[in-house]
Amino acid sequence: MKSGSVYKRCSCRNPETGKQYGKNCPKAKKKGHGSWSVKQELPPADDGTRRYFRRTGYDAQDKAQTDLDHVRSLLAVAKNDRQRNQVAEMLSELSKNGDELPDAERVQRMLKHGTRLRANCTVGEWLDIWMPRQKHLARSTVRNYQGHIDDYLKPNLGEIEVDELSVSDVVEMFEEIEKENERISANNDDRHALLARIKMAPTSPRSIRRKLREELAALPPFRKPAGPSTRNRIKATLRKALNDMIAHEGLITFNPAHHVHLADEKPRPLLWTPERVEEWRRTGRKPSPVMVWTPALTGEFLDGAADDPLYGLYHLALYRGPRRGELCALDETDVATDFRSVNIDSQLTEVDYEVEESTPKTEAGTRTVGLDHETGQALRWQVERNRRNRLRWGDAWVDSGRLFTEPNGEQLRPSAVSDRFERLVALLGLPPIRFHDCRHVAATLMLAGGADMKVVQTLLGHASLSVTADLYTSVLPELALSAAEAAAALVPRSRRPTAGLASVSLTA
C-alpha cells in the first residue's frame, strides 16, 4: 500500500518566519488544539505526476483514521492498472471537492460493469449520459423521452444525486407537475376570456382593443397540461433510465420510480347521449376528453362523409378500429382478395413533420382483422378509386402502394388525417370526437353487437384483455340503456296509464 498518514495540524504561525507551523506546531499535542488530517499517496497519473488524497478538519483522530482506511479499501478493490488509475482519478476529484467517499462495494460494481467512476452522479448528469444511448429506438420515442427529460425530469430531479434519489423525491415531482397544471389551466382560461372579449368588441375604441391585445401578449402562450397519460409516460421514462443504470452501470440497486403509484385518472370514454349532445350544443363543452358516438351518430357521420375521398378509411376506423398510423400504413396487398379481411403489420408515425414506417410496438399489434360485408365493399370502392386516379394522373401518379392515399397516390400524413376528420365532423355539426376515438366507437359497436371481449381485444390489438375491459365497462351500460329506450320508442302508443292504475284490482 502506498504511504499514508494521519496527523494533526493547526493554523498557528511561526513568529519569526510568519509561516504556519502545520503539523509541526509546538502545541499540537495539546488537547483540542488544531484539527486532524489525512494524506494518502495515490497511483501516479499517466504522465508520472504524483497524486494524493488529502482531507483535513477532523475533530478526532479516530474519524480521520476511519476515512484513511476507507480510502485504502477503495484502492484495494482495483484489480489491475486500469482500474487503479480509475480509482485514483476519482479519489483525486474527491480530494478537491470534499464530497463524501463512496461505498467500496458500489465502486467494485462500477469497475465490474466498466462504468466510468464518478465522485457523484446527479440524475441530470445520468440522463445526459443515458439519452444518447437510446438512438436505436423509434424517433417518436426518442423525442418523447427527450421532452420528458427537458420539461419535467431535469427541472425537478436533475440536481439530486442518483444514489440519493428517493420515492418521496419522485412523488414531489408529480405534485409539482399537478401544481403547474393548475397554473397552465388558469392561464389558458385567461387567454380564452381575453380572446372572447377581443372577438366581441370589434367596434370598440381602438385604445381598448389595443389594451386587450397588449394584455393577451403579456400572458404565457397556450400550453397543454400534463394529463394522466403523459404523467405515466414521464414515470416510465424515469423508470427505464434508472433500470438501465441498475442493469448496465451498477451505480444503484434500487429504482424509486418503480415504487411510485400514480392515481388512475385516465379519462373513461363517455357516450354522446341525447342529453349530453343537447348540453354540448348549448355550452360548447365536451363532458370528457374521450367521447363515443352512438350508432345513430356514427351513421350520420358516415352518411355525411359518403362522398369524401377517405370514406373507406373512416368506415374501417369506425367499424373495426385500427389505429390512425396503422390505417395510413395499409397497402393494397394487405387487403384479402375477397375483401373480408386486412392484415395489419406496420404503422406510420410522424416526427418533426417527417413520416416514418415502423412495426407495431407490441406483438398484439400485428394481427388480421376480419371485415363485415359493408366494410369490405367500402374497401373495394377504395381500390377502384385508386385505379381511376392512376389513370387520371398518368406519369404524375406516385406509386406509394398504400390503400388510402392523397389524390396523386402519395401516402397520407397521419396528422392530416386527424385534421381532415375533425373539419368534417365540425362541418356536419356533429358532437366532436377525436380521430383516435373511432377505436372506441368500433369497440363499443362490437361489444353492443354481442362480440366477446377477447375478440374485441384481438381486433383492436390491445396487449392485455384488462385494457379492453377497463376502457369499455363505462360505455356499455349507457349504450344498453340507449338501446332499450330506442326499442321502446318503436312501439306506437296512443294512451298512457294514469296514476290511479295501481289501485285497479287485477282479480276477476
Side-chain angles (χ1 to χ4, degrees):
M1 177 64 62
K2 300 287 183 178
S3 61
S5 62
V6 172
Y7 57 91
K8 200 172 187 181
R9 62 181 301 162
C10 67
S11 58
C12 297
R13 295 182 180 274
N14 188 320
E16 296 180 1
T17 64
K19 296 182 180 180
Q20 289 186 353
Y21 282 117
K23 61 182 179 181
N24 297 317
C25 178
K27 299 179 182 179
K29 295 183 180 181
K30 187 177 180 181
K31 186 176 181 180
H33 183 77
S35 61
W36 292 91
S37 302
V38 298
K39 178 181 178 181
Q40 173 64 52
E41 186 175 359
L42 304 174
D46 292 337
D47 61 359
T49 304
R50 301 180 75 175
R51 293 183 289 194
Y52 295 91
F53 175 87
R54 293 186 175 93
R55 185 157 291 182
T56 189
Y58 298 96
D59 59 4
Q61 182 179 6
D62 58 343
K63 292 181 180 179
Q65 185 63 51
T66 297
D67 267 9
L68 180 61
D69 293 342
H70 193 160
V71 169
R72 289 172 173 171
S73 69
L74 292 172
L75 290 168
V77 301
K79 302 300 182 184
N80 52 52
D81 289 343
R82 181 181 63 81
Q83 291 185 358
R84 278 188 283 273
N85 185 56
Q86 284 183 280
V87 174
E89 285 182 359
M90 179 190 69
L91 289 172
S92 179
E93 180 184 348
L94 285 168
S95 179
K96 294 174 183 176
N97 59 33
D99 285 339
E100 187 177 344
L101 293 168
D103 181 73
E105 290 184 2
R106 174 190 171 194
V107 171
Q108 192 171 31
R109 288 196 305 270
M110 294 163 72
L111 292 171
K112 179 180 178 181
H113 287 84
T115 304
R116 183 180 71 83
L117 297 185
R118 305 171 186 86
N120 52 25
C121 179
T122 65
V123 173
E125 289 170 343
W126 168 244
L127 291 172
D128 287 340
I129 294 168
W130 174 78
M131 193 61 221
R133 301 178 182 178
Q134 311 310 307
K135 299 303 182 183
H136 63 286
L137 300 175
R139 285 185 63 201
S140 58
T141 303
V142 171
R143 186 180 64 172
N144 288 338
Y145 279 176
Q146 192 65 62
H148 299 158
I149 290 170
D150 293 341
D151 297 339
Y152 304 103
L153 298 178
K154 288 178 73 173
N156 290 285
L157 306 175
E159 299 302 317
I160 302 174
E161 293 187 17
V162 178
D163 57 355
E164 294 182 359
L165 183 67
S166 66
V167 173
S168 62
D169 290 326
V170 182
V171 170
E172 287 177 10
M173 175 186 69
F174 285 107
E175 290 174 349
E176 183 56 38
I177 290 174
E178 288 282 8
K179 293 176 184 177
E180 181 64 14
N181 280 346
E182 294 175 3
R183 292 190 286 268
I184 291 171
S185 297
N187 174 70
N188 290 348
D189 289 344
D190 290 343
R191 290 190 67 91
H192 279 301
L194 274 174
L195 285 169
R197 289 175 63 188
I198 293 172
K199 185 177 180 181
M200 295 296 291
T203 59
S204 299
R206 184 178 299 176
S207 60
I208 294 178
R209 297 200 306 271
R210 182 173 61 250
K211 183 179 179 181
L212 289 174
R213 287 194 294 270
E214 289 173 353
E215 290 180 20
L216 184 66
L219 289 174
F222 279 118
R223 288 177 59 195
K224 185 179 179 181
S229 296
T230 300
R231 293 196 293 273
N232 275 290
R233 287 193 289 269
I234 294 168
K235 173 186 168 183
T237 300
L238 178 61
R239 186 174 63 238
K240 174 71 165 61
L242 296 179
N243 276 343
D244 284 356
M245 176 173 273
I246 292 171
H248 306 300
E249 303 295 328
L251 296 177
I252 57 173
T253 58
F254 172 73
N255 187 340
H258 183 72
H259 299 274
V260 173
H261 302 285
L262 301 179
D264 185 11
E265 301 172 2
K266 190 173 183 179
R268 302 287 181 171
L270 290 181
L271 197 67
W272 272 118
T273 59
E275 295 78 15
R276 288 175 180 147
V277 173
E278 181 181 351
E279 178 71 10
W280 166 74
R281 295 195 188 283
R282 189 175 64 84
T283 65
R285 295 174 184 167
K286 288 174 62 176
S288 169
V290 184
M291 297 302 297
V292 180
W293 281 334
T294 61
L297 291 171
T298 304
E300 192 174 340
F301 170 80
L302 290 174
D303 289 345
D307 296 327
D308 190 278
L310 294 182
Y311 171 79
L313 182 147
Y314 302 144
H315 191 113
L316 181 57
L318 288 164
Y319 271 58
R320 309 310 280 169
R323 299 174 177 88
R324 182 185 67 177
E326 294 169 346
L327 289 162
C328 293
L330 282 177
D331 289 342
E332 288 191 359
T333 55
D334 291 324
V335 184
T337 55
D338 60 357
F339 293 92
R340 297 311 302 268
S341 66
V342 292
N343 292 322
I344 296 175
D345 57 10
S346 62
Q347 61 181 354
L348 295 187
T349 55
E350 196 170 345
V351 182
D352 298 331
Y353 209 65
E354 293 184 11
V355 178
E356 298 179 345
E357 184 172 3
S358 60
T359 56
K361 288 187 176 181
T362 64
E363 185 177 344
T366 301
R367 61 201 187 277
T368 298
V369 176
L371 306 177
D372 59 280
H373 176 73
E374 187 178 345
T375 305
Q377 284 294 98
L379 298 192
R380 190 187 299 273
W381 175 86
Q382 183 68 38
V383 171
E384 176 60 23
R385 171 184 172 274
N386 292 347
R387 187 190 67 80
R388 293 196 304 268
N389 281 344
R390 286 191 192 94
L391 295 175
R392 184 180 302 116
W393 283 81
D395 292 340
W397 173 261
V398 178
D399 192 9
S400 65
R402 303 298 187 195
L403 176 62
F404 304 111
T405 69
E406 297 289 352
N408 67 343
E410 289 183 359
Q411 70 180 8
L412 293 168
R413 187 177 298 280
S415 61
V417 171
S418 293
D419 293 342
R420 186 185 186 99
F421 174 79
E422 290 172 8
R423 286 196 300 269
L424 186 54
V425 171
L427 183 65
L428 295 173
L430 292 170
I433 65 171
R434 306 167 304 161
F435 186 83
H436 187 76
D437 295 336
C438 291
R439 281 171 60 79
H440 303 318
V441 174
T444 304
L445 292 176
M446 286 186 277
L447 291 169
D452 182 77
M453 190 74 75
K454 182 65 178 177
V455 172
V456 175
Q457 175 209 343
T458 302
L459 289 173
L460 293 180
H462 284 157
S464 168
L465 181 62
S466 63
V467 173
T468 312
D470 288 347
L471 274 174
Y472 303 115
T473 49
S474 59
V475 178
L476 284 175
E478 288 187 318
L479 187 61
L481 180 61
S482 297
E485 294 291 349
L490 293 174
V491 181
R493 300 295 302 274
S494 59
R495 289 187 61 200
R496 297 292 175 183
T498 64
L501 180 63
S503 62
V504 176
S505 174
L506 298 179
T507 59

